[in-house]
């Protein structure tokens, strides 16, 4: 039994390491991806309205969180796939402490569409309703000729 457990652990470890690392390989050239944080205020209003309907406080858009979201939106657009990579170290590099979470989405062409997808996903919805959240950062990355075309990153924090 112990050997089987060890073999299972050895087989699963590389898969978990792949999920945890910042392993996004760029397949789309940087000059083919544009990013924007212009929808952050609208996202904060939509998320605040949703949170209020659930008895929670509002969130406001924050420039530092927008920067962290923009970094990851660009990374996933250039990779053509979603990955949180090294989330904790990324938050540290952007000087974001305390409670924080990240939602990613691809394919939606509006901020309302991305938020609707997050509401419909239990784990993402839990992040939207994180009681400690007071600030958000949101970014959109567009890669018109590649992958899902539109990539979204939302960072929520205290």
């Amino acid at each position: 039994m112990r050997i089987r457990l060890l073999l299972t652990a050895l087989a699963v470890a590389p898969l978990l390491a792949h999920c945890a690392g910042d392993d996004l390989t760029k397949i789309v050239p940087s000059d083919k991806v544009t990013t924007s944080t212009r929808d952050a205020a609208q996202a904060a209003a939509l998320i605040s309205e949703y949170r209020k309907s659930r008895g929670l406080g509002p969130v406001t858009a924050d420039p530092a969180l927008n920067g962290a979201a923009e970094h990851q939106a660009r990374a996933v657009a250039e990779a053509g796939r979603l990955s949180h990579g090294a989330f904790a170290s990324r938050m540290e590099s952007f000087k974001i402490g305390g409670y924080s979470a990240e939602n990613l989405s691809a394919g939606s062409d509006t901020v309302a569409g991305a938020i609707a997808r997050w509401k419909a996903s239990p784990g993402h919805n839990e992040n939207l309703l994180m009681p400690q959240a007071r600030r958000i950062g949101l970014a959109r990355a567009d890669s018109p000729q590649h992958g899902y075309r539109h990539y979204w990153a939302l960072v929520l924090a205290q």
Side-chain angles (χ1 to χ4, degrees):
M1 180 65 156
R2 202 174 251 184
I3 292 174
R4 183 182 301 160
L5 210 55
L6 179 60
L7 291 175
T8 301
L10 290 173
V12 172
L15 298 174
L16 294 176
H18 185 266
C19 291
D22 200 5
D23 60 351
L24 291 172
T25 302
K26 188 186 296 191
I27 62 168
V28 178
S30 295
D31 65 342
K32 301 294 183 193
V33 174
T34 60
T35 62
S36 173
T37 60
R38 71 176 169 267
D39 295 315
Q42 181 185 4
L46 291 169
I47 293 167
S48 291
E49 181 180 311
Y50 180 55
R51 289 171 58 85
K52 183 178 177 184
S53 76
R54 301 297 193 275
L56 296 167
V59 293
T60 58
D62 178 271
L65 295 179
N66 282 346
E70 189 168 27
H71 173 87
Q72 194 63 8
R74 173 174 288 284
V76 296
E78 289 175 354
R81 67 181 185 87
L82 300 177
S83 172
H84 294 286
F87 176 73
S89 64
R90 188 164 12 96
M91 293 302 98
E92 187 177 311
S93 72
F94 279 92
K95 311 274 190 266
I96 299 166
Y99 288 94
S100 61
E102 178 177 75
N103 286 355
L104 301 174
S105 183
S108 297
D109 60 352
T110 66
V111 65
I115 291 172
R117 286 182 180 203
W118 291 327
K119 286 180 183 179
S121 165
H124 294 102
N125 188 58
E126 187 176 325
N127 289 344
L128 291 174
L129 299 176
M130 183 174 71
Q132 299 85 354
R134 300 289 178 266
R135 303 173 295 138
I136 64 130
L138 178 100
R140 171 181 169 161
D142 293 313
S143 177
Q145 305 301 317
H146 305 280
Y148 295 99
R149 295 192 170 109
H150 310 294
Y151 298 83
W152 297 87
L154 171 71
V155 177
L156 304 105
Q158 285 180 282

